[in-house]
Amino acid sequence: MSFVSQPRSNISIEFDDVGLLERMTTFALSTIPTCVFLFINGTILFTLRSKSVFRDTCRYILLFNLLIADTAQLAVCQVLFLLSVCRITLTYPVCGMLTVFANITNVISPLTLMVMSLERCVAVCLPLRHAMIVTIRNTRLAIIAAWTSSSLHNIFRVILLLDFPFEDLDSLQMRDLCSELTMLLGSRSKMYDNAFTGFLFVSAAIVIISSYVGVIIAARSASTGKASALKVRNTLVLHLVQLCLSLSSTIYNPMLIALIKIVQTVVFLRLHKFLYVLIILFPKCLSSLIYGLRDQTIRPILLSLLEFLSPFQSFVL
């Protein structure tokens, strides 16, 4: 999710050779898109809460929850990335709070995609009972359950973290750069985190694929509108793509660990920046564009935002 830790003594000489210009370029290439999409996400989030048509529609409530989780995680990941670029180390408590918050929002995304897929499946397979099953109250309960599950997961991670002998450390100041990987202290923490991540994404994939199959079966019946079923099927495929993009963040740290063993440190530092933009920044920026451009109600808002930002983009380029 964030920059994999490496001892500063191992990279300090090579890092200094990279130069101020490259660091400033990295800062600009990662921070400017992040700020743009944070602005877009913030505007869409405000719109989803300001208009009654969005507040009273269950799928928009779920979209609001997905966007707020992606927006929060994007902000935290960017902070951790900039700290790594600037070679700023934190204390264990501060790093722990940042990584816990990032992990909570990271778990929320696949859980919300599961609920969104089930909602669309019910809309096609049980159209007469959709209004009774998918209510605002049930939607809010599902969102509360998702946040509760994610919080309990992180509480258990903190409990495993307390087994680490912090009293044997000379100081709580970290020697390595802050990342989620550096906070997995001990084999039990790593095993639990890998097991939970695998279970979460396998469960989400099963739910989304099962919903897709259910929609296909319902689409073949005479009682289901073909156009509506096709639209829902495409939406479920989109949810599956979003799930794969969320899963890509889990391979980020293992990929960096493998790269540091086979490439020089200067090359690794540059690959780290490229992979961050490709695997972390890019997927988190897609939610507002993918769902915004497909939705006929949100599309005019998003297009007006893009028109507003086009002079700024021309100035930057």
Side-chain angles (χ1 to χ4, degrees):
M1 179 183 304
S2 56
F3 178 50
V4 64
S5 65
Q6 294 297 329
R8 296 183 65 183
S9 59
N10 292 344
I11 66 173
S12 57
I13 297 177
E14 291 86 351
F15 198 96
D16 291 336
D17 293 337
V18 174
L20 179 61
L21 178 61
E22 184 170 335
R23 279 189 245 177
M24 293 300 295
T25 303
T26 301
F27 179 87
L29 291 178
S30 63
T31 303
I32 292 177
T34 299
C35 292
V36 169
F37 279 97
L38 286 176
F39 173 76
I40 293 176
N41 286 4
T43 305
I44 294 179
L45 288 172
F46 176 78
T47 303
L48 290 174
R49 298 304 301 167
S50 61
K51 297 183 180 296
S52 59
V53 65
F54 297 132
R55 292 197 306 268
D56 300 333
T57 305
C58 294
R59 63 191 181 97
Y60 289 124
I61 296 175
L62 292 171
L63 177 60
F64 177 86
N65 188 64
L66 178 66
L67 281 179
I68 200 169
D70 284 348
T71 302
Q73 190 186 17
L74 177 61
V76 175
C77 288
Q78 183 64 18
V79 169
L80 291 175
F81 176 75
L82 294 179
L83 288 174
S84 70
V85 171
C86 299
R87 296 177 294 168
I88 298 175
T89 59
L90 304 175
T91 62
Y92 279 102
V94 175
C95 181
M97 287 188 295
L98 286 174
T99 54
V100 164
F101 183 74
N103 192 266
I104 288 177
T105 55
N106 189 45
V107 173
I108 290 298
S109 295
L111 291 177
T112 304
L113 289 172
M114 291 171 63
V115 180
M116 293 174 73
S117 300
L118 291 174
E119 186 273 331
R120 290 290 82 196
C121 182
V122 171
V124 173
C125 299
L126 302 171
L128 299 179
R129 301 183 59 187
H130 179 264
M132 294 184 295
I133 297 174
V134 184
T135 62
I136 294 180
R137 179 179 178 275
N138 290 341
T139 302
R140 290 173 177 170
L141 288 176
I143 292 174
I144 292 173
W147 283 93
T148 302
S149 300
S150 181
S151 300
L152 291 175
H153 160 61
N154 280 274
I155 289 174
F156 191 72
R157 293 176 81 240
V158 171
I159 292 174
L160 292 177
L161 183 63
L162 294 178
D163 291 337
F164 185 79
F166 288 100
E167 63 276 5
D168 296 339
L169 297 176
D170 297 333
S171 172
L172 290 179
Q173 183 70 31
M174 301 179 65
R175 297 181 179 179
D176 301 333
L177 299 172
C178 178
S179 71
E180 184 183 1
L181 195 63
T182 59
M183 297 306 298
L184 293 178
L185 304 174
S187 58
R188 288 197 298 176
S189 295
K190 296 176 182 178
M191 290 177 58
Y192 169 74
D193 192 71
N194 292 335
F196 180 85
T197 301
F199 173 78
L200 174 65
F201 283 98
V202 168
S203 301
I206 291 175
V207 169
I208 295 175
I209 293 174
S210 300
S211 301
Y212 181 83
V213 173
V215 168
I216 291 178
I217 295 175
R220 295 177 179 176
S221 64
S223 60
T224 304
K226 303 295 183 180
S228 176
L230 179 62
K231 185 177 180 180
V232 171
R233 187 184 67 181
N234 293 336
T235 300
L236 292 175
V237 172
L238 181 62
H239 291 340
L240 189 60
V241 172
Q242 283 291 98
L243 180 66
C244 293
L245 292 175
S246 297
L247 180 61
S248 67
S249 64
T250 64
I251 66 173
Y252 180 60
N253 280 325
M255 186 181 299
L256 293 180
I257 292 174
L259 285 174
I260 193 60
K261 297 178 180 178
I262 60 177
V263 299
Q264 296 180 352
T265 307
V266 174
V267 177
F268 168 78
L269 291 171
R270 291 168 180 168
L271 285 175
H272 149 241
K273 299 164 188 175
F274 171 76
L275 291 174
Y276 169 79
V277 174
L278 180 65
I279 298 179
I280 302 297
L281 183 60
F282 179 68
K284 292 304 175 187
C285 293
L286 285 180
S287 294
S288 57
L289 288 179
I290 291 177
Y291 292 102
L293 291 175
R294 291 189 73 251
D295 192 277
Q296 298 297 327
T297 308
I298 301 179
R299 181 186 296 178
I301 301 172
L302 184 58
L303 292 179
S304 64
L305 281 174
L306 295 177
E307 291 176 0
F308 172 78
L309 291 173
S310 58
F312 174 75
Q313 292 172 347
S314 300
F315 173 77
V316 173
L317 296 175

